[in-house]
Amino acid sequence: MAYNVTKVFFSPGGTCARVADLISKNISEDSKTINLLTAPPENELQFGANDVLIVALPVFIGRIPAKTLSLLNMLKGNGAYAIISAVYGNRAYDDALLELSDILQGNGFTIAGASAIIAAHSMFPRVAKGRPDKSDVTKIDEFAKKAFEIVKRKEQGRISVPGNRPYKELTNKKLPIALKTSNECNDCKACAKICPENAIPIENPRITDATKGNNCTACIYVCPQRARKFGGLGYTIISAIFRRMCTKRLEPEFFYI
């Protein structure tokens, strides 16, 4: 039986897109893409028995990005299978994988496999630098193949993954961290166009409204001039503390139906 594979990701720094690609290539050479950051769906999308959805989302303070909640609810499974990943920066994924599985199972998907993948931290990139590495990729490949075998056998049931209900509370509390724009900025406005929170005014992309932004780092990674970065005393202190807390190498975790 041939399956239609669709990759769904929210990937400010590109890692979730890479994880989705790594999984999908073990299933099909041809896949569709739903980029929740740059081209989110505007209407409900219906899937069915011949579909496999691959979803990779980052972990933001122990939860999946709030911006993705309503978008994920536009995806209707109707019995389709999903293979899901929460991608996090070597601290913890807390309730993110559970939240993602709950949403998709509630929308009619059967989750064949779920994974928690370690990646370089988006805000503190010296933490887990170079991850996913060669060892991680080998494990992701094995995970994808095992999960797809479950799909082909048409196994049914609800997947069980770590996490707590109620989920970790979403907070509006902001870290004392500032986004800086250097003189290399040429006002191309790429950052303003990609910001999911509209925190960067198109008329003056050199500034960031900290009350709106969520530090997703999309503006940093999209900048062709590398003109945006975190800085300031607060960032220096918090970065050093975070690196000390997260020096131990964590390994990917995998769960199956």
Side-chain angles (χ1 to χ4, degrees), residues 153-173:
R153 292 195 300 267
K154 298 186 180 300
E155 293 185 28
Q156 296 294 316
R158 289 183 67 85
I159 200 164
S160 178
V161 299
N164 299 287
R165 300 186 187 94
Y167 311 130
K168 187 175 182 179
E169 184 179 0
L170 288 172
T171 175
N172 292 322
K173 184 178 179 180

Side-chain angles (χ1 to χ4, degrees), residues 9-250:
F9 51 80
F10 184 88
S11 190
T15 307
C16 288
R18 182 188 173 203
V19 169
D21 285 341
L22 288 169
I23 295 171
S24 68
K25 73 178 179 62
N26 285 280
I27 298 173
S28 173
E29 295 181 356
D30 185 32
S31 62
K32 298 178 181 179
T33 296
I34 298 175
N35 189 326
L36 298 179
L37 176 62
T38 62
E42 297 180 356
N43 301 295
E44 283 189 0
L45 300 176
Q46 301 291 333
F47 297 88
N50 292 341
D51 293 303
V52 178
L53 201 69
I54 297 170
V55 185
L57 297 183
V59 177
F60 287 179
I61 317 179
R63 299 281 301 275
I64 62 174
K67 194 73 176 182
T68 67
L69 298 177
S70 61
L71 300 175
L72 291 173
N73 279 318
M74 292 184 179
L75 310 178
K76 304 302 181 181
N78 304 302
Y81 281 91
I83 300 171
I84 65 175
S85 298
V87 182
Y88 71 105
N90 206 60
R91 183 195 66 82
Y93 57 93
D94 295 317
D95 302 330
L97 194 60
L98 177 64
E99 182 178 21
L100 178 56
S101 67
D102 282 349
I103 291 172
L104 292 179
Q105 288 179 141
N107 284 352
F109 290 92
T110 297
I111 298 177
S115 64
I117 306 298
I118 295 86
H121 198 281
S122 58
M123 292 178 65
F124 310 110
R126 290 173 62 183
V127 175
K129 184 177 180 180
R131 309 278 304 273
D133 58 19
K134 186 176 180 179
S135 172
D136 296 321
V137 170
T138 298
K139 293 174 181 178
I140 292 170
D141 287 344
E142 293 171 353
F143 161 70
K145 291 171 183 174
K146 288 182 180 179
F148 190 48
E149 286 299 319
I150 290 171
V151 173
K152 290 190 289 186
R153 292 195 300 267
K154 298 186 180 300
E155 293 185 28
Q156 296 294 316
R158 289 183 67 85
I159 200 164
S160 178
V161 299
N164 299 287
R165 300 186 187 94
Y167 311 130
K168 187 175 182 179
E169 184 179 0
L170 288 172
T171 175
N172 292 322
K173 184 178 179 180
K174 304 291 183 179
L175 292 172
I177 292 175
L179 266 169
K180 306 287 187 178
T181 305
S182 71
N183 291 332
E184 280 72 30
C185 174
N186 64 358
D187 295 316
C188 74
K189 307 184 189 308
C191 57
K193 292 174 183 176
I194 202 171
C195 178
E197 305 296 342
N198 297 315
I200 304 170
I202 196 77
E203 66 276 6
N204 186 4
R206 293 171 179 262
I207 64 174
T208 304
D209 185 343
T211 65
K212 294 181 179 179
N214 64 1
N215 294 327
C216 80
T217 71
C219 61
I220 293 176
Y221 290 99
V222 79
C223 178
Q225 306 298 326
R226 300 292 185 264
R228 294 177 67 84
K229 64 179 181 179
F230 291 109
L233 179 60
Y235 177 76
T236 300
I237 294 171
I238 292 173
S239 179
I241 294 171
F242 193 86
R243 287 201 307 274
R244 286 199 297 269
M245 289 173 54
C246 302
T247 55
K248 180 182 177 181
R249 178 186 172 99
L250 302 182

